[in-house]
Amino acid sequence: MTLRLYNTLSRSVEDFVPLVPGRAGMYCCGPTVYNYAHIGNLRTYVFEDVLRRTLRFNGYVPMHVMNITDVGHLESDADEGEDKMEKGARREGVDVWELARKYENAWLLDMGRLNIERPEIICRATEHVPDMIQLIERLLERGYAYATEDTIYYDTSKFSDYAKLARLDLRGLQAGAGGRVQLNTEKRHPNDFALWFLKRPRHLMQWDSPWGRGYPGWHIECSAMSMKYLGPTFDIHCGGVDHIPVHHTNEIAQSEGATGQPFVRYWLHGEWLLIGSEKMSKSIENFLTLSALAERGFDALAYRYLCLQAHYRSELRFTMDALEAAQQGLRKVYAVRPDRDPLSDASAYADARAEVLAAINDDLNVPQGIGLLNRYGSHRLWCEFDSVLGLSIAERAEQKDEALPSDIAALVERRNAARKARAWDESDRLRQELIDRGYEVGDGPNGTTVRRRPI
Ligand SMILES: [Zn+2]
């Protein structure tokens, strides 16, 4: 059964044929670590994780690379606005480096709570500046870049395929962008973008380069790191749809400009999470974190289940009611009994399995797959596809049967009652007591979950 994926480049669903049989190279744009991840960002990582797991389910060995943007990234993708890292550091009164590590750790913790598998390589931008410098040198040599007084720019007019990913109307942009060009008289074309910033003495992170001390533009890190680990041409590149017109467009221009070879074969993009009618982004106030959901008694995996119930190319409207429904739905999944399997007949099982796989392999139609799994109600089938879904079905189902010592069970009861009464201090105190008694404590759809810590 062939895996088929929607390729933004061709605007069509294509058979996935990897460059190297049996392997799948994959690069995903990672977080800018200046604040906690909001659940809109997390939706994209859940989608990428499902893709990675689906590749593996189909027998491919993934080589998954993700970057950490820990060097300045301006608020607008188009080289304007304030530096997000420096703004964050000022807000918290810490060093930019400290800020980066703090939020990188918080992000890794969120990934773990959502059962997102760790990519083979997680690479920090600040540790790859020499790779970026090399790439910029190559672009200068090949005539794709030019230097101004204080910036090295990519010359988009030299790259004839610049519009191909986003199907940009460059003439329209040219005509409409007069105001922006005037802001920076040295930039030759409105779409040109910064590769390296120079002579910005107040910027906190600086490196030596052949052009003087400075720091990289945002887009160059993804070209440099993806090609370093996956080669000049690789299989899959993912990100949110918001990256199509600027960031990914610029990545293609940089990479193909430097190597003269095709950069990425399949571009996959995850749609927005909407809150009310607004898209979820850190620049607007309505931003929610996984911890904020946990405080309201929601399991991170309930959020994951909510994400899985919408196709990755559809917008998902987030409401607390929808999350509550997902948590209830997940509770039902965990309650599916292993002993009365409706698919005990081998051929019935094989047919059902093929049907679910066909849905998932059809451009990751996981919502349809989940619909089928719910219809069949087979614990074994759920568990098999949990390697794609990542809902910890076997573990959570088993946990119910685990007998707890009565004093521990009493602490769990008291903590559940405290949470119900929103007595957070008491709930935290009881949590700590359970930890001190040697238990791992989690928040599941049925309340507190505990498990003896392995020694
Ligand atoms: Zn990127």
Side-chain angles (χ1 to χ4, degrees), residues 72-84 197 203 215 218:
H73 168 178
L74 303 179
E75 280 179 332
S76 146
D77 286 353
D79 301 335
E80 289 159 14
E82 206 176 349
D83 183 306
K84 288 180 177 177
F197 294 100
H203 197 269
Y215 59 97
W218 173 42

Side-chain angles (χ1 to χ4, degrees), residues 31-37 68-71 85 87-111 113 124 126 205 282 287 289 291:
T32 302
V33 284
Y34 69 106
N35 205 337
Y36 294 106
I68 302 264
T69 300
D70 55 353
V71 58
M85 297 288 298
K87 195 177 168 191
R90 209 173 44 244
R91 177 189 70 225
E92 301 197 10
V94 295
D95 191 52
V96 268
W97 299 90
E98 244 175 274
L99 182 91
R101 293 303 167 262
K102 172 181 168 184
Y103 288 112
E104 180 184 312
N105 288 334
W107 177 75
L108 287 169
L109 213 65
D110 281 348
M111 298 292 99
R113 287 149 121 191
R124 293 175 179 148
T126 49
M205 288 174 160
K282 265 178 259 199
F287 114 67
T289 60
S291 302

Side-chain angles (χ1 to χ4, degrees), residues 27 29 67 218 222 237 247-248 251:
Y27 183 87
C29 293
N67 66 305
W218 173 42
C222 285
H237 194 313
H247 182 52
H248 289 167
E251 276 189 48

Side-chain angles (χ1 to χ4, degrees), residues 8 13 44 58 146 163 181 193 251 290 299 339 362 397 417 421:
T8 307
V13 179
T44 306
N58 281 275
Y146 59 93
V181 183
F193 55 92
E251 276 189 48
L290 218 48
D299 189 336
D339 45 353
D362 178 16

Side-chain angles (χ1 to χ4, degrees), residues 319 322 400:
T319 61
K400 278 187 307 200

